[in-house]
Amino acid sequence: MGRMSDELDELPEYAERVLEVAEMIPPGRVMTYGDIAEWLEEGGPRQVGRVMALYGGGAPWWRVVRADGALLPGHELRALGHYRAESTPLKEASRAAEGHLPRLDMRRARWDGGDGAHV
């Protein structure tokens, strides 16, 4: 059984790369799933989302977001706490918005990987 658990403990190379990019995103900024795939020149938004769902718990998961700026379903309040603590730009929710939750202000919060980032 030791060999099997060793294999499960190993992070796939693509997952390592995705998590490295997530770690580079500065506080108060975000990248979309598609942005990370484009940055890595591999995979797509779904593959990045899968990596974050399976392995992203120890990374700043709240900085990897949907392109529409909606908060991660099921984790909205935890994410919102992080965004407020990091002063991430938000758009206040309209009265018609479900749950009255704000969205990320993608125009101001999106990070392009600049400012000396290295992978």
PDB file of all heavy atoms in Angstrom, residues 14 18 32-38 42-53 64-67:
ATOM      1  N   TYR A  14       1.459  19.432 -14.154  1.00  0.00           N
ATOM      2  CA  TYR A  14       0.599  20.542 -14.567  1.00  0.00           C
ATOM      3  C   TYR A  14      -0.007  21.229 -13.347  1.00  0.00           C
ATOM      4  O   TYR A  14      -0.070  22.462 -13.271  1.00  0.00           O
ATOM      5  CB  TYR A  14      -0.497  20.052 -15.518  1.00  0.00           C
ATOM      6  CG  TYR A  14      -1.384  21.165 -16.029  1.00  0.00           C
ATOM      7  CD1 TYR A  14      -0.903  22.095 -16.948  1.00  0.00           C
ATOM      8  CD2 TYR A  14      -2.695  21.301 -15.583  1.00  0.00           C
ATOM      9  CE1 TYR A  14      -1.707  23.127 -17.415  1.00  0.00           C
ATOM     10  CE2 TYR A  14      -3.502  22.327 -16.056  1.00  0.00           C
ATOM     11  CZ  TYR A  14      -3.006  23.235 -16.968  1.00  0.00           C
ATOM     12  OH  TYR A  14      -3.797  24.260 -17.422  1.00  0.00           O
ATOM     13  N   VAL A  18       0.219  25.189 -12.210  1.00  0.00           N
ATOM     14  CA  VAL A  18      -0.961  26.023 -11.956  1.00  0.00           C
ATOM     15  C   VAL A  18      -0.861  26.653 -10.569  1.00  0.00           C
ATOM     16  O   VAL A  18      -1.071  27.859 -10.400  1.00  0.00           O
ATOM     17  CB  VAL A  18      -2.265  25.200 -12.086  1.00  0.00           C
ATOM     18  CG1 VAL A  18      -3.465  25.962 -11.521  1.00  0.00           C
ATOM     19  CG2 VAL A  18      -2.515  24.818 -13.535  1.00  0.00           C
ATOM     20  N   THR A  32      -8.012  34.927 -13.998  1.00  0.00           N
ATOM     21  CA  THR A  32      -9.071  33.973 -14.311  1.00  0.00           C
ATOM     22  C   THR A  32      -8.448  32.603 -14.584  1.00  0.00           C
ATOM     23  O   THR A  32      -7.242  32.484 -14.817  1.00  0.00           O
ATOM     24  CB  THR A  32      -9.888  34.410 -15.544  1.00  0.00           C
ATOM     25  OG1 THR A  32      -9.051  34.326 -16.698  1.00  0.00           O
ATOM     26  CG2 THR A  32     -10.446  35.813 -15.370  1.00  0.00           C
ATOM     27  N   TYR A  33      -9.306  31.588 -14.587  1.00  0.00           N
ATOM     28  CA  TYR A  33      -8.847  30.250 -14.941  1.00  0.00           C
ATOM     29  C   TYR A  33      -8.210  30.274 -16.325  1.00  0.00           C
ATOM     30  O   TYR A  33      -7.152  29.684 -16.547  1.00  0.00           O
ATOM     31  CB  TYR A  33     -10.015  29.254 -14.918  1.00  0.00           C
ATOM     32  CG  TYR A  33     -10.689  29.142 -13.572  1.00  0.00           C
ATOM     33  CD1 TYR A  33     -11.958  29.678 -13.368  1.00  0.00           C
ATOM     34  CD2 TYR A  33     -10.068  28.499 -12.507  1.00  0.00           C
ATOM     35  CE1 TYR A  33     -12.586  29.573 -12.132  1.00  0.00           C
ATOM     36  CE2 TYR A  33     -10.697  28.386 -11.277  1.00  0.00           C
ATOM     37  CZ  TYR A  33     -11.947  28.931 -11.096  1.00  0.00           C
ATOM     38  OH  TYR A  33     -12.565  28.823  -9.874  1.00  0.00           O
ATOM     39  N   GLY A  34      -8.844  30.975 -17.248  1.00  0.00           N
ATOM     40  CA  GLY A  34      -8.319  31.086 -18.606  1.00  0.00           C
ATOM     41  C   GLY A  34      -7.003  31.851 -18.667  1.00  0.00           C
ATOM     42  O   GLY A  34      -6.119  31.514 -19.456  1.00  0.00           O
ATOM     43  N   ASP A  35      -6.861  32.893 -17.833  1.00  0.00           N
ATOM     44  CA  ASP A  35      -5.606  33.652 -17.785  1.00  0.00           C
ATOM     45  C   ASP A  35      -4.441  32.735 -17.411  1.00  0.00           C
ATOM     46  O   ASP A  35      -3.359  32.811 -17.996  1.00  0.00           O
ATOM     47  CB  ASP A  35      -5.661  34.773 -16.741  1.00  0.00           C
ATOM     48  CG  ASP A  35      -6.593  35.915 -17.099  1.00  0.00           C
ATOM     49  OD1 ASP A  35      -6.953  36.066 -18.279  1.00  0.00           O
ATOM     50  OD2 ASP A  35      -6.951  36.677 -16.168  1.00  0.00           O
ATOM     51  N   ILE A  36      -4.673  31.869 -16.435  1.00  0.00           N
ATOM     52  CA  ILE A  36      -3.600  30.968 -15.987  1.00  0.00           C
ATOM     53  C   ILE A  36      -3.260  29.970 -17.080  1.00  0.00           C
ATOM     54  O   ILE A  36      -2.082  29.726 -17.355  1.00  0.00           O
ATOM     55  CB  ILE A  36      -3.971  30.285 -14.654  1.00  0.00           C
ATOM     56  CG1 ILE A  36      -3.977  31.338 -13.537  1.00  0.00           C
ATOM     57  CG2 ILE A  36      -3.008  29.132 -14.345  1.00  0.00           C
ATOM     58  CD1 ILE A  36      -4.327  30.819 -12.171  1.00  0.00           C
ATOM     59  N   ALA A  37      -4.270  29.417 -17.741  1.00  0.00           N
ATOM     60  CA  ALA A  37      -4.009  28.482 -18.842  1.00  0.00           C
ATOM     61  C   ALA A  37      -3.214  29.183 -19.944  1.00  0.00           C
ATOM     62  O   ALA A  37      -2.258  28.619 -20.485  1.00  0.00           O
ATOM     63  CB  ALA A  37      -5.320  27.930 -19.392  1.00  0.00           C
ATOM     64  N   GLU A  38      -3.585  30.405 -20.255  1.00  0.00           N
ATOM     65  CA  GLU A  38      -2.879  31.178 -21.287  1.00  0.00           C
ATOM     66  C   GLU A  38      -1.441  31.465 -20.852  1.00  0.00           C
ATOM     67  O   GLU A  38      -0.506  31.357 -21.632  1.00  0.00           O
ATOM     68  CB  GLU A  38      -3.638  32.484 -21.538  1.00  0.00           C
ATOM     69  CG  GLU A  38      -3.139  33.253 -22.735  1.00  0.00           C
ATOM     70  CD  GLU A  38      -3.995  34.478 -23.003  1.00  0.00           C
ATOM     71  OE1 GLU A  38      -5.229  34.351 -23.051  1.00  0.00           O
ATOM     72  OE2 GLU A  38      -3.396  35.568 -23.147  1.00  0.00           O
ATOM     73  N   GLU A  42      -0.795  26.108 -21.828  1.00  0.00           N
ATOM     74  CA  GLU A  42      -1.193  24.698 -21.755  1.00  0.00           C
ATOM     75  C   GLU A  42      -2.542  24.599 -21.063  1.00  0.00           C
ATOM     76  O   GLU A  42      -2.829  25.340 -20.130  1.00  0.00           O
ATOM     77  CB  GLU A  42      -0.146  23.911 -20.959  1.00  0.00           C
ATOM     78  CG  GLU A  42      -0.413  22.438 -20.906  1.00  0.00           C
ATOM     79  CD  GLU A  42       0.642  21.668 -20.136  1.00  0.00           C
ATOM     80  OE1 GLU A  42       1.653  22.250 -19.726  1.00  0.00           O
ATOM     81  OE2 GLU A  42       0.430  20.476 -19.940  1.00  0.00           O
ATOM     82  N   GLY A  43      -3.365  23.667 -21.533  1.00  0.00           N
ATOM     83  CA  GLY A  43      -4.662  23.444 -20.917  1.00  0.00           C
ATOM     84  C   GLY A  43      -5.623  24.572 -21.219  1.00  0.00           C
ATOM     85  O   GLY A  43      -5.407  25.387 -22.117  1.00  0.00           O
ATOM     86  N   GLY A  44      -6.693  24.605 -20.474  1.00  0.00           N
ATOM     87  CA  GLY A  44      -7.713  25.624 -20.637  1.00  0.00           C
ATOM     88  C   GLY A  44      -8.344  25.927 -19.299  1.00  0.00           C
ATOM     89  O   GLY A  44      -7.934  25.380 -18.268  1.00  0.00           O
ATOM     90  N   PRO A  45      -9.367  26.785 -19.300  1.00  0.00           N
ATOM     91  CA  PRO A  45     -10.009  27.157 -18.037  1.00  0.00           C
ATOM     92  C   PRO A  45     -10.518  25.962 -17.239  1.00  0.00           C
ATOM     93  O   PRO A  45     -10.376  25.936 -16.019  1.00  0.00           O
ATOM     94  CB  PRO A  45     -11.171  28.052 -18.474  1.00  0.00           C
ATOM     95  CG  PRO A  45     -10.796  28.546 -19.831  1.00  0.00           C
ATOM     96  CD  PRO A  45      -9.941  27.482 -20.448  1.00  0.00           C
ATOM     97  N   ARG A  46     -11.070  24.983 -17.912  1.00  0.00           N
ATOM     98  CA  ARG A  46     -11.602  23.814 -17.185  1.00  0.00           C
ATOM     99  C   ARG A  46     -10.498  23.022 -16.494  1.00  0.00           C
ATOM    100  O   ARG A  46     -10.670  22.543 -15.372  1.00  0.00           O
ATOM    101  CB  ARG A  46     -12.398  22.912 -18.118  1.00  0.00           C
ATOM    102  CG  ARG A  46     -13.711  23.522 -18.538  1.00  0.00           C
ATOM    103  CD  ARG A  46     -14.466  22.604 -19.489  1.00  0.00           C
ATOM    104  NE  ARG A  46     -15.616  23.259 -20.038  1.00  0.00           N
ATOM    105  CZ  ARG A  46     -16.846  23.095 -19.568  1.00  0.00           C
ATOM    106  NH1 ARG A  46     -17.056  22.287 -18.552  1.00  0.00           N
ATOM    107  NH2 ARG A  46     -17.856  23.736 -20.118  1.00  0.00           N
ATOM    108  N   GLN A  47      -9.367  22.869 -17.160  1.00  0.00           N
ATOM    109  CA  GLN A  47      -8.252  22.130 -16.559  1.00  0.00           C
ATOM    110  C   GLN A  47      -7.710  22.883 -15.335  1.00  0.00           C
ATOM    111  O   GLN A  47      -7.411  22.278 -14.309  1.00  0.00           O
ATOM    112  CB  GLN A  47      -7.140  21.890 -17.581  1.00  0.00           C
ATOM    113  CG  GLN A  47      -7.491  20.883 -18.651  1.00  0.00           C
ATOM    114  CD  GLN A  47      -8.328  21.473 -19.780  1.00  0.00           C
ATOM    115  OE1 GLN A  47      -8.567  22.667 -19.875  1.00  0.00           O
ATOM    116  NE2 GLN A  47      -8.790  20.604 -20.673  1.00  0.00           N
ATOM    117  N   VAL A  48      -7.600  24.188 -15.453  1.00  0.00           N
ATOM    118  CA  VAL A  48      -7.124  24.993 -14.317  1.00  0.00           C
ATOM    119  C   VAL A  48      -8.138  24.900 -13.181  1.00  0.00           C
ATOM    120  O   VAL A  48      -7.758  24.728 -12.011  1.00  0.00           O
ATOM    121  CB  VAL A  48      -6.882  26.456 -14.733  1.00  0.00           C
ATOM    122  CG1 VAL A  48      -6.590  27.328 -13.516  1.00  0.00           C
ATOM    123  CG2 VAL A  48      -5.728  26.536 -15.734  1.00  0.00           C
ATOM    124  N   GLY A  49      -9.421  24.987 -13.500  1.00  0.00           N
ATOM    125  CA  GLY A  49     -10.456  24.864 -12.480  1.00  0.00           C
ATOM    126  C   GLY A  49     -10.402  23.523 -11.774  1.00  0.00           C
ATOM    127  O   GLY A  49     -10.568  23.443 -10.552  1.00  0.00           O
ATOM    128  N   ARG A  50     -10.145  22.475 -12.528  1.00  0.00           N
ATOM    129  CA  ARG A  50     -10.035  21.131 -11.934  1.00  0.00           C
ATOM    130  C   ARG A  50      -8.847  21.056 -10.973  1.00  0.00           C
ATOM    131  O   ARG A  50      -8.962  20.514  -9.877  1.00  0.00           O
ATOM    132  CB  ARG A  50      -9.890  20.095 -13.063  1.00  0.00           C
ATOM    133  CG  ARG A  50      -9.787  18.676 -12.586  1.00  0.00           C
ATOM    134  CD  ARG A  50     -11.159  18.076 -12.456  1.00  0.00           C
ATOM    135  NE  ARG A  50     -11.005  16.665 -12.148  1.00  0.00           N
ATOM    136  CZ  ARG A  50     -11.705  16.054 -11.213  1.00  0.00           C
ATOM    137  NH1 ARG A  50     -12.613  16.715 -10.548  1.00  0.00           N
ATOM    138  NH2 ARG A  50     -11.525  14.787 -10.977  1.00  0.00           N
ATOM    139  N   VAL A  51      -7.718  21.610 -11.383  1.00  0.00           N
ATOM    140  CA  VAL A  51      -6.542  21.629 -10.501  1.00  0.00           C
ATOM    141  C   VAL A  51      -6.869  22.387  -9.217  1.00  0.00           C
ATOM    142  O   VAL A  51      -6.569  21.917  -8.113  1.00  0.00           O
ATOM    143  CB  VAL A  51      -5.325  22.271 -11.211  1.00  0.00           C
ATOM    144  CG1 VAL A  51      -4.218  22.587 -10.214  1.00  0.00           C
ATOM    145  CG2 VAL A  51      -4.803  21.357 -12.313  1.00  0.00           C
ATOM    146  N   MET A  52      -7.503  23.547  -9.350  1.00  0.00           N
ATOM    147  CA  MET A  52      -7.815  24.333  -8.158  1.00  0.00           C
ATOM    148  C   MET A  52      -8.795  23.595  -7.252  1.00  0.00           C
ATOM    149  O   MET A  52      -8.653  23.630  -6.032  1.00  0.00           O
ATOM    150  CB  MET A  52      -8.364  25.706  -8.557  1.00  0.00           C
ATOM    151  CG  MET A  52      -7.351  26.601  -9.253  1.00  0.00           C
ATOM    152  SD  MET A  52      -5.799  26.867  -8.334  1.00  0.00           S
ATOM    153  CE  MET A  52      -6.415  27.753  -6.890  1.00  0.00           C
ATOM    154  N   ALA A  53      -9.768  22.902  -7.843  1.00  0.00           N
ATOM    155  CA  ALA A  53     -10.742  22.155  -7.044  1.00  0.00           C
ATOM    156  C   ALA A  53     -10.082  21.002  -6.287  1.00  0.00           C
ATOM    157  O   ALA A  53     -10.401  20.743  -5.133  1.00  0.00           O
ATOM    158  CB  ALA A  53     -11.868  21.636  -7.937  1.00  0.00           C
ATOM    159  N   VAL A  64      -7.942  33.071  -7.912  1.00  0.00           N
ATOM    160  CA  VAL A  64      -8.155  32.411  -9.206  1.00  0.00           C
ATOM    161  C   VAL A  64      -9.666  32.344  -9.388  1.00  0.00           C
ATOM    162  O   VAL A  64     -10.356  31.660  -8.632  1.00  0.00           O
ATOM    163  CB  VAL A  64      -7.508  31.013  -9.236  1.00  0.00           C
ATOM    164  CG1 VAL A  64      -7.699  30.363 -10.597  1.00  0.00           C
ATOM    165  CG2 VAL A  64      -6.021  31.107  -8.883  1.00  0.00           C
ATOM    166  N   VAL A  65     -10.171  33.068 -10.388  1.00  0.00           N
ATOM    167  CA  VAL A  65     -11.603  33.359 -10.441  1.00  0.00           C
ATOM    168  C   VAL A  65     -12.216  33.131 -11.816  1.00  0.00           C
ATOM    169  O   VAL A  65     -11.510  32.965 -12.812  1.00  0.00           O
ATOM    170  CB  VAL A  65     -11.856  34.816 -10.010  1.00  0.00           C
ATOM    171  CG1 VAL A  65     -11.345  35.059  -8.603  1.00  0.00           C
ATOM    172  CG2 VAL A  65     -11.229  35.804 -10.989  1.00  0.00           C
ATOM    173  N   ARG A  66     -13.533  33.184 -11.847  1.00  0.00           N
ATOM    174  CA  ARG A  66     -14.276  33.139 -13.107  1.00  0.00           C
ATOM    175  C   ARG A  66     -14.134  34.471 -13.826  1.00  0.00           C
ATOM    176  O   ARG A  66     -14.007  35.525 -13.194  1.00  0.00           O
ATOM    177  CB  ARG A  66     -15.756  32.865 -12.823  1.00  0.00           C
ATOM    178  CG  ARG A  66     -16.001  31.493 -12.268  1.00  0.00           C
ATOM    179  CD  ARG A  66     -17.416  31.262 -11.805  1.00  0.00           C
ATOM    180  NE  ARG A  66     -18.433  32.022 -12.508  1.00  0.00           N
ATOM    181  CZ  ARG A  66     -19.725  31.824 -12.365  1.00  0.00           C
ATOM    182  NH1 ARG A  66     -20.156  30.893 -11.542  1.00  0.00           N
ATOM    183  NH2 ARG A  66     -20.595  32.551 -13.021  1.00  0.00           N
ATOM    184  N   ALA A  67     -14.196  34.435 -15.125  1.00  0.00           N
ATOM    185  CA  ALA A  67     -14.013  35.645 -15.931  1.00  0.00           C
ATOM    186  C   ALA A  67     -15.126  36.668 -15.716  1.00  0.00           C
ATOM    187  O   ALA A  67     -14.907  37.860 -15.925  1.00  0.00           O
ATOM    188  CB  ALA A  67     -13.921  35.276 -17.412  1.00  0.00           C
TER     189      ALA A  67
END
